[in-house]
Amino acid sequence: MADQKKILRALAGEVQAVPPIWMMRQAGRYLPEYRATRAQAGDFLSLCYNSELAAEVTLQPIRRYGFDAAILFADILLLPQALGADLWFVTGEGPRLSTIGAQADFDRLKPVEAIHETLNPVYDTLRILKRELPSETTLIGFAGAPWTVATYMIAGRGTPDQGPAHALKDENPALFAQVIDRLTEGTIDYLSAQIEAGAEVVKLFDSWAGSLNGADFDRYALEPAKQIIAALKARHPDTPIIAFPRGAGDRYEGFGKATGADCVAVDDAVTPDWVAAHVQKDGCVQGNLASRHMVTGGAELVSETRKVVDALKHGPHIFNLGHGITPDADPENVQLMIDTVRNG
Ligand code: CP3
C-alpha cells in the first residue's frame, strides 16, 4: 500500500507512525484568503455554485498547510435546495429555508432525478480539483445525513434542540418518514455523482445525531446511513465512506460495523482513550481534538494534540478536530497542531 495516499491507507486499515491529517471547515472564515475569495464571489451560496472559486477555496488550505485531504467546498444544504426548498443565508446568523410542516410542503419538492441540474456546478468543482490537487492529496466529497438535513428543512433554520423536527417525527411520523426517504435517495444519487466526478472518499455528516434517543437513533441515524452506504458500495465498491454521527456518545461503538462505514469520525465529547478501546477496535477512526484549541493555542494545544495521537496510534487513525474550525481561530495555531502531529 506504500504507493497509496496516506488517507486511503488509513481507510484501508493501515496503522501509520504519523497519522494523516485534515480539518473540518479547513476552507473557512478563519483564513484571510477565504474571506477575500468569498467577497469576490459575492456571498456564500454564490461561492458554492461558482466552480472555479469553490475549487480555489478548497485548494487554499492545501497550499498553506499541505493537509493530506481536501474537502470539496459546498454545503449540506445544497441538496434540499436542489430538491426545491428555498435557501438563503443571513450574514452572522446562518441558513434559512422554506419549512416543511404539512404534506403539501413535501409535495412541492422535486423528485430525486431533478437534483443534478442544480448540483452540476458542484460536480464541476470536483473535476477541477481532481486536475489541480497535488498527487498525494485525497479528495473528499460529502453530504449531510438525512436526519441532520431534515432538521433544517423542517424548521427552516438551525435550532439548538432540533425541536421542530422532533415534533414532526412524533406527531406526523408518516410525513417525517417521507422526508427521510426522499433525502436518503437524494443523498445516494448526490454522493454517487460526486464519486463519478472525482471524489475518492465520501463523508456523511450527521451533525445532530446526538439529539436522537433510543430507537430513534437506530431508525433515523443508523438506518439511513446503512442504506446510503449499502447503495454506494453496490455502485462504487472501492470508494471508502466516513460516517460522522456527531454527539453519538457511547453509540459510536458498533456504528461502523452496523452501517458498513469504513471509518467513524468522532467528536471531542468522547475521550481518545475511550475511542481507542471502543471504536478503533473495529477499524479506522477520525478525530478528535477540540476545535477551541485552534482559538486558544499554546502548550495546551500541543499536549492535547499529543494525547489524541498517542491514544490512537495503535490502530488506523486520521487526525482531525472534533468539529469544524471556528471563524475566530488563529491560522498559526493550525500550523502548530500540524507540526505537533507530524513532528511529535
Ligand atoms: O469542511 C469544509 O471545509 C467543507 C465545506 C463545508 C461547509 N459546510 C462550508 C461552510 C462542509 C462540509 C459543511 C457542512 C455543514 N454545513 C454542516 C455539517 C457539519 C457541521 O458543521 O456540523 C452543517 C450543519 C452545515 C449547515 C451550515 N452551513 C450552517 C449551519 C452554516 C452557518 C453557520 C456558520 O458557520 O456560519 C453554514 C455556512 C457555511 N458552510 C460556512 C462554510 C465555510 C460559513 C459561510 C460563510 O462563509 O459565511
Side-chain angles (χ1 to χ4, degrees):
M1 288 197 280
D3 55 330
Q4 267 196 346
K5 305 180 185 192
K6 274 180 76 76
I7 296 267
L8 296 177
R9 283 159 54 194
L11 289 167
E14 187 181 320
V15 184
Q16 298 175 67
V18 173
I21 175 169
W22 68 280
M23 198 171 67
M24 284 183 270
R25 289 276 172 98
Q26 62 191 22
R29 286 161 293 180
Y30 75 105
L31 286 180
E33 58 269 38
Y34 170 83
R35 296 194 297 267
T37 309
R38 192 184 64 165
Q40 192 188 336
D43 58 34
F44 173 67
L45 277 178
S46 309
L47 178 54
C48 290
Y49 289 114
N50 182 324
S51 307
E52 292 288 339
L53 294 184
E56 167 58 25
V57 293
T58 306
L59 290 165
Q60 285 168 350
I62 309 304
R63 289 192 203 112
R64 187 189 264 256
Y65 299 115
F67 282 118
D68 294 294
I71 183 156
L72 164 72
F73 189 84
D75 197 85
I76 64 164
L77 301 179
L78 302 188
L79 178 63
Q81 188 175 36
L83 285 168
D86 294 328
L87 172 68
W88 66 103
F89 279 80
V90 180
T91 311
E93 290 187 35
R96 295 290 182 276
L97 300 89
S98 43
T99 58
I100 299 180
Q103 186 67 43
D105 302 321
F106 178 81
D107 292 342
R108 274 193 290 273
L109 294 179
K110 296 180 194 172
V112 166
E113 304 80 72
I115 64 173
H116 305 299
E117 59 186 271
T118 301
L119 296 169
N120 267 324
V122 175
Y123 313 142
D124 286 339
T125 305
L126 287 162
R127 288 187 195 100
I128 297 170
L129 288 166
K130 197 174 165 60
R131 195 176 72 216
E132 303 272 322
L133 275 175
S135 59
E136 67 275 15
T137 315
T138 300
L139 180 54
I140 303 179
F142 72 92
W147 160 250
T148 287
V149 176
T151 67
Y152 290 93
M153 288 181 87
I154 292 164
R157 59 193 297 158
T159 47
D161 58 357
Q162 296 74 59
H166 282 285
L168 191 72
K169 158 175 73 61
D170 297 335
E171 287 155 23
N172 193 345
L175 174 57
F176 182 76
Q178 290 176 72
V179 177
I180 294 290
D181 288 349
R182 181 69 57 87
L183 287 170
T184 301
E185 284 171 40
T187 303
I188 291 166
D189 281 11
Y190 183 34
L191 288 176
S192 204
Q194 289 187 29
I195 294 166
E196 281 153 25
E200 299 171 279
V201 173
V202 292
K203 178 170 173 185
L204 201 53
F205 283 87
D206 210 349
S207 303
W208 300 118
S211 82
L212 290 167
N213 292 322
D216 280 349
F217 181 86
D218 291 345
R219 210 156 148 197
Y220 299 119
L222 199 148
E223 194 54 41
K226 185 176 164 183
Q227 280 176 29
I228 291 164
I229 292 167
L232 289 174
K233 291 285 178 192
R235 295 189 204 176
H236 307 281
D238 299 328
T239 304
I241 301 167
I242 303 172
F244 182 35
R246 188 168 75 91
D250 57 14
R251 294 163 302 181
Y252 278 125
E253 182 165 8
F255 197 85
K257 273 194 172 165
T259 59
D262 299 271
C263 174
V264 178
V266 292
D267 67 274
D268 53 275
V270 286
T271 67
D273 285 326
W274 184 87
V275 173
H278 295 270
V279 191
Q280 198 182 36
K281 67 175 168 54
D282 294 332
C284 187
V285 294
Q286 176 179 282
N288 72 339
L289 181 71
S291 49
R292 69 182 161 80
H293 295 296
M294 299 301 100
V295 181
T296 53
E300 205 196 349
L301 182 166
V302 173
S303 62
E304 290 300 305
T305 299
R306 286 187 183 140
K307 234 185 245 176
V308 173
V309 172
D310 282 346
L312 297 169
K313 70 182 175 197
H314 302 295
H317 176 214
I318 298 170
F319 191 95
N320 205 308
L321 300 177
H323 197 197
I325 188 168
T326 52
D328 54 343
D330 182 345
E332 300 271 341
N333 290 335
V334 175
Q335 189 63 57
L336 180 58
M337 169 183 72
I338 294 170
D339 292 344
T340 305
V341 170
R342 292 193 172 150
N343 310 324

